[in-house]
Amino acid sequence: MFSRIIGTGRQLPERVVSNRDLEGNLDTSEEWIRERTGIERRHIAADGETTVDLAEGAAREALKAAGRQAADVDFIVFGTTTPDLVFPNCGALLQARLGIRGCAALGIEAACSGFIYALSIADKYVRCGEAKCALVVGAETLSRITDWNDRGTAILFGDGAGAVLLAPSEEPGILSTHLHADGSHGDLLFATGGVSRGFNDPPGRGVIRMRGHEVFRLAVNALSSIVEETLHRNGLEAQAIDWFVPHQANLRIIQAIARKLGLPMERVIVTIQDQGNTSAASVPMALDTGIRDGRIRPGHLVLCEAFGGGFTWGSALIRM
Ligand code: ACO
């Protein structure tokens, strides 16, 4: 038994902030941001617009694409690092929005790898027969924990949500998922503040702190190794991959991994120019983009990966 993706959806906030818009407040330039990251603009949630608001839109799109009703969903896994509340978890909040009752609803926090972690968990539940229609979400409002005075991070992040629905199938779907973490590098990328430590640094909210250059180097190493692991475990060469759907953190990281795989950029789904780094939302939104614009088609082999705070990293090999 496999789990297969039967529908995808995404939602972005309406408001768009360009690199030029950031020049006004930060000691940076449009050219520096574009050349060092590939980012040209990002979507930022309106005041009061939350992670679950965005996720609801993405989930409804995925249900529509799959021809399913919300009542069909019997398992929800929601990856986010910017939840609406400490609790209830965003999976339960989304469940209520969709008018579903009774099914299990999980919140997963694995920073930018949140969607891959969520997908891996949902895949196991579907494969073992515990779920018949699993809703997997990656959604973020990273703008809420961005320090808008820190040019090293404020230029990177955006908001958005992506969702996929999984159903059981005898035909191959998700072929394998691979998850890793290394907590020893937690000081290179983290958000200040928290429930147990208190929200006093700075007062009132936590903000992202990152040593970007070191994160960049470790991300390239970890991602190179996990794509090799994924191919090896499936007995495949990189040339078998139809589409590479990477986490959208930095265009130079994406290019480095594609180069290591020997894949031309024409076979890579890149959305970073329009969305920035949307953390857990980036892979499902890129997947949805490729499917909706007709590049990713049934039967194609898709390799997804992500790397983020923790550090956490993961991959999924998917037959569409
Ligand atoms: N505008 C202009 N100059 C800048 C900016 C900016 N926005 N940001 C940094 N600089 C300067 C630095 O101060 C430094 O100046 P100096 O040489 O005078 O000291 C110079 O540019 C180079 O700085 P680096 O940090 O070495 O720049 P780098 O090329 O590494 O790019 C970046 C920085 C874009 C952050 C990159 O390191 C990166 O993408 N890192 C990885 C991010 C990532 O993958 N995160 C994981 C996921 S995020 C998550 O989990 C939430």
Side-chain angles (χ1 to χ4, degrees):
M1 183 72 82
F2 291 93
S3 73
R4 277 183 77 87
I5 293 180
I6 58 166
T8 63
R10 72 179 185 277
Q11 177 149 324
L12 287 157
E14 268 182 31
R15 185 175 160 220
V16 175
V17 173
S18 70
N19 292 350
R20 287 258 181 260
D21 294 332
L22 294 177
E23 281 179 340
N25 297 333
L26 289 167
D27 179 16
T28 189
S29 67
E30 197 284 323
E31 294 74 21
W32 193 96
I33 302 172
R34 189 164 29 79
E35 282 164 19
R36 302 306 294 165
T37 69
I39 299 166
E40 296 173 23
R41 59 194 72 81
R42 69 285 291 142
H43 293 250
I44 300 292
D47 288 347
E49 190 173 34
T50 71
T51 297
V52 173
D53 291 336
L54 298 172
E56 182 183 351
R60 291 195 187 280
E61 287 267 308
L63 285 164
K64 201 167 144 198
R68 297 291 178 105
Q69 305 298 316
D72 297 334
V73 172
D74 58 3
F75 191 58
I76 301 173
V77 197
F78 195 127
T80 187
T81 199
T82 46
D84 286 28
L85 296 167
V86 172
F87 71 87
N89 78 65
C90 283
L93 294 174
L94 179 61
Q95 186 203 48
R97 289 282 188 91
L98 296 173
I100 307 165
R101 291 233 179 116
C103 76
L106 282 65
I108 299 294
E109 197 281 283
C112 300
S113 315
F115 173 77
I116 301 280
Y117 267 59
L119 187 74
S120 180
I121 293 166
D123 173 53
K124 307 293 182 293
Y125 271 77
V126 172
R127 285 179 96 125
C128 77
E130 288 275 317
K132 300 269 181 289
C133 182
L135 173 60
V136 188
V137 177
E140 303 277 13
T141 45
L142 239 63
S143 59
R144 308 294 192 234
I145 56 166
T146 297
D147 178 352
W148 292 104
N149 296 315
D150 173 17
R151 68 175 183 174
T153 54
I155 56 154
L156 296 174
F157 300 112
D159 301 332
V164 308
L165 281 173
L166 297 182
S169 166
E170 283 172 14
E171 297 292 314
I174 296 180
L175 298 172
S176 68
T177 60
H178 308 266
L179 305 181
H180 293 283
D182 181 353
S184 69
H185 295 296
D187 58 328
L188 297 182
L189 172 57
F190 63 100
T192 61
V195 180
S196 186
R197 288 193 189 176
F199 285 101
N200 295 320
D201 175 27
R205 69 181 186 120
V207 288
I208 296 168
R209 293 284 174 246
M210 180 169 75
R211 297 200 336 236
H213 202 69
E214 287 150 278
V215 174
F216 189 105
R217 194 173 50 78
L218 288 162
V220 172
N221 287 343
L223 291 170
S224 301
S225 146
I226 204 168
V227 296
E228 270 170 32
E229 175 190 345
T230 310
L231 292 170
H232 180 72
R233 287 271 289 277
N234 287 278
L236 291 170
E237 298 293 330
Q239 288 315 309
I241 305 296
D242 293 298
W243 291 104
F244 179 41
V245 182
H247 173 46
Q248 314 280 318
N250 187 314
L251 184 59
R252 292 184 293 133
I253 296 180
I254 296 172
Q255 288 165 335
I257 308 299
R259 220 172 13 250
K260 287 198 183 216
L261 281 169
L263 282 183
M265 286 306 285
E266 290 71 36
R267 276 157 64 188
V268 184
I269 306 290
V270 178
T271 57
I272 192 167
Q273 67 282 4
D274 297 322
Q275 295 170 10
N277 179 351
T278 57
S279 186
S282 94
V283 171
M285 288 205 294
L287 191 62
D288 181 73
T289 300
I291 291 171
R292 281 178 196 267
D293 68 21
R295 281 180 288 174
I296 300 175
R297 294 196 300 277
H300 277 171
L301 191 62
V302 173
L303 175 61
C304 302
E305 48 83 329
F307 178 92
F311 292 136
T312 56
W313 62 104
S315 66
L317 189 69
I318 306 168
R319 180 70 69 188
M320 298 303 296

